[in-house]
Amino acid sequence: NAGVTQTPKFQVLKTGQSMTLQCAQDMNHEYMSWYRQDPGMGLRLIHYSVGAGITDQGEVPNGYNVSRSTTEDFPLRLLSAAPSQTSVYFCASSYWRYPGKRHEQYFGPGTRLTVT
Amino acid sequence: ELKVEQNPLFLSMQEGKNYTIYCNYSTTSDRLYWYRQDPGKSLESLFVLLSNGAVKQEGRLMASLDTKARLSTLHITAAVHDLSATYFCAVAGTAGNKLTFGGGTRVLVKP
């Protein structure tokens, strides 16, 4: 199992550019989510999904879009990058339907994004 | 709205001594997580606490949960340099797997 993978590892964008951060998992997890981590802070939830075709907003969704067409993939799109979106982005996955299996959440290695 | 507060924000430790990190949260939850993060790295899962009175131990780390007080503690016994990292607690809301994180405790263990 590769676990949760994210690409790219690093990215520099100019203000106004758009891009997609990729996230994939091979554990057949229903639940996937995106967090951002700003310097010296904890993670904040951007968007999440409980299965293919189902997404919802987290705490800080503005400026980001997601879709979930397959169980494995959960891309995060920045529509028009702003300097305030400079951050480290983590994707996570876990089981969802089975209470006994819901506990462990697996985090990807992160994407470090700088917007100039 | 679920809020999670950790303290202290920074902990300078001496090797061999014991310390505690506190995690308070504002509303009912059925799961509390502790993670470790090294600089530039992802989160490493340490513990998942599921019920009132739960206690888990791994090496020099021990975590406990008091759901009535909405408080979890992470106790470090006889600190060693390898434990230098940032520690986060995170609380899952009762509606599902959404995690709300505390602000983190940066731990530096000095010889």
Side-chain angles (χ1 to χ4, degrees):
Chain A
N1 279 0
V4 181
T5 58
Q6 290 183 238
T7 55
K9 286 189 168 53
F10 301 94
Q11 183 71 49
V12 179
L13 291 179
K14 292 189 189 320
T15 297
Q17 287 184 317
S18 62
M19 79 159 294
T20 299
L21 308 186
Q22 301 291 346
C23 174
Q25 52 88 14
D26 61 359
M27 297 173 280
N28 205 29
H29 286 163
E30 306 96 332
Y31 186 90
M32 296 184 74
S33 53
W34 278 101
Y35 292 86
R36 62 177 285 174
Q37 184 178 30
D38 299 314
M41 294 179 65
L43 280 66
R44 290 182 294 167
L45 182 64
I46 305 172
H47 284 287
Y48 66 98
S49 168
V50 300
I54 307 169
T55 64
D56 205 347
Q57 297 181 350
E59 182 186 351
V60 288
N62 291 344
Y64 307 95
N65 265 1
V66 291
S67 60
R68 184 104 178 262
S69 55
T70 68
T71 299
E72 294 78 18
D73 300 297
F74 190 43
L76 178 73
R77 279 181 287 278
L78 278 71
L79 309 172
S80 176
S84 60
Q85 293 179 303
T86 293
S87 190
V88 181
Y89 292 84
F90 290 100
C91 179
S93 76
S94 66
Y95 288 106
W96 170 252
R97 288 200 186 89
Y98 309 105
K101 287 186 141 184
R102 270 192 310 165
H103 308 147
E104 197 60 62
Q105 297 219 20
Y106 298 83
F107 283 83
T111 293
R112 192 173 295 270
L113 176 68
T114 302
V115 183
T116 61
Chain B
E1 181 189 348
L2 177 57
K3 291 192 186 304
V4 181
E5 202 170 287
Q6 268 181 257
N7 64 81
L9 297 182
F10 177 72
L11 201 42
S12 179
M13 299 184 180
Q14 286 187 343
E15 278 194 331
K17 294 198 172 179
N18 303 334
Y19 298 88
T20 301
I21 300 170
Y22 298 90
C23 175
N24 289 91
Y25 55 99
S26 61
T27 63
T28 301
S29 169
D30 62 356
R31 272 169 290 145
L32 189 139
Y33 298 76
W34 283 98
Y35 291 95
R36 168 184 171 140
Q37 186 179 41
D38 292 300
K41 302 292 187 183
S42 185
L43 278 73
E44 174 190 351
S45 178
L46 296 174
F47 303 108
V48 183
L49 302 170
L50 302 175
S51 60
N52 188 42
V55 177
K56 290 198 173 179
Q57 182 162 7
E58 180 76 34
R60 299 175 187 274
L61 302 178
M62 183 174 73
S64 64
L65 179 62
D66 181 343
T67 58
K68 292 176 183 168
R70 295 180 187 154
L71 171 68
S72 180
T73 59
L74 180 66
H75 188 71
I76 299 172
T77 302
V80 292
H81 180 68
D82 283 353
L83 292 178
S84 296
T86 299
Y87 293 84
F88 291 97
C89 66
V91 179
T94 52
N97 284 2
K98 294 190 290 183
L99 297 184
T100 300
F101 280 79
T105 297
R106 185 169 163 242
V107 166
L108 180 61
V109 182
K110 297 180 179 177

